[in-house]
Amino acid sequence: MSQREKAMSQREKAISQEERKARKHKAAMEKQKTNVDASIASASEERGVAILLTGNGKGKTSSAFGMVMRALGYGHKVGVVQFIKGEQLSGEEIYLKEQCPQVDFYQMGTGFTWDTQDRSGDIAAARRTWAVARPMLEDAGYHLVVLDEITYMLAYDYLPEADILSAIANRPREQSVVVTGRGGGSALQDIMDTVSEVKEVKHAFNDGVKAREGVDF
Ligand code: ATP
Ligand code: MG
């Protein structure tokens, strides 16, 4: 076989390999589409969902604000209640306060518990904050309610678990609620429709990288 013939046969081989790959990919995609279509067809219930974002990895609060943005895209009414406020101002706080007057935004207004070290003060603040959140969970006008870091109120026993669980479970049918925070307990997990645990594989902070404006806060 001449050099030219060898090169041509190698090229043909490469093309047929590509074709085989393309055919295999098409078959796999067709199968996946059939499965996805079947799952979509079987999910027929129309109602709001309760979502818990928990775990030690980064991404819980920022995911909740991703859903806030989605809801706002459709002109939905959104309430956001943050149960723990760090010393540091956050980008979402600045944006909501300055640019999104249509979002009802409330912060507990006390620092992290290890900063305040004042249990009775924290409990009073938690109660004031819950007094803002609870009516949202009773108001069908809200499409989406975010309860950011409320899991700590349960973990520290600052608020009665039964009240929070029943308010979430008995909220208006069309309303969705997003709960974020580490922990929270199995009773909370049980009443939620979707529970995602964000796992820390690694975090830049542990390599000495400072928390970054616009990314971490
Ligand atoms: P984010 O607000 O970035 O989505 P989060 O809500 O998942 O984070 P929190 O436990 O509420 O995480 O922590 C808030 C802050 O701590 C954020 O600035 C976040 O980047 C940072 N953080 C989150 N997880 C870790 C971690 N595993 N190690 C160090 N810092 C973290
Ligand atoms: Mg958070």
Side-chain angles (χ1 to χ4, degrees), residues 7-25:
M8 274 172 71
S9 119
Q10 267 172 354
R11 220 181 117 229
E12 271 162 22
K13 244 192 224 160
I15 289 171
S16 71
Q17 254 178 2
E18 270 310 307
E19 265 172 19
R20 264 204 305 279
K21 262 196 210 162
R23 255 184 263 131
K24 208 170 149 194
H25 177 77

Side-chain angles (χ1 to χ4, degrees), residues 12 17 22 31 59 63 68 70 91 103 127 158 174 179 186 189 193 199 204:
E12 271 162 22
Q17 254 178 2
K31 195 171 163 204
S63 167
V68 167
R70 283 187 173 165
V103 174
R127 287 189 181 145
Y158 283 179
E174 297 298 321
V179 172
S186 59
Q189 292 199 5
D193 299 302
K199 178 173 175 274

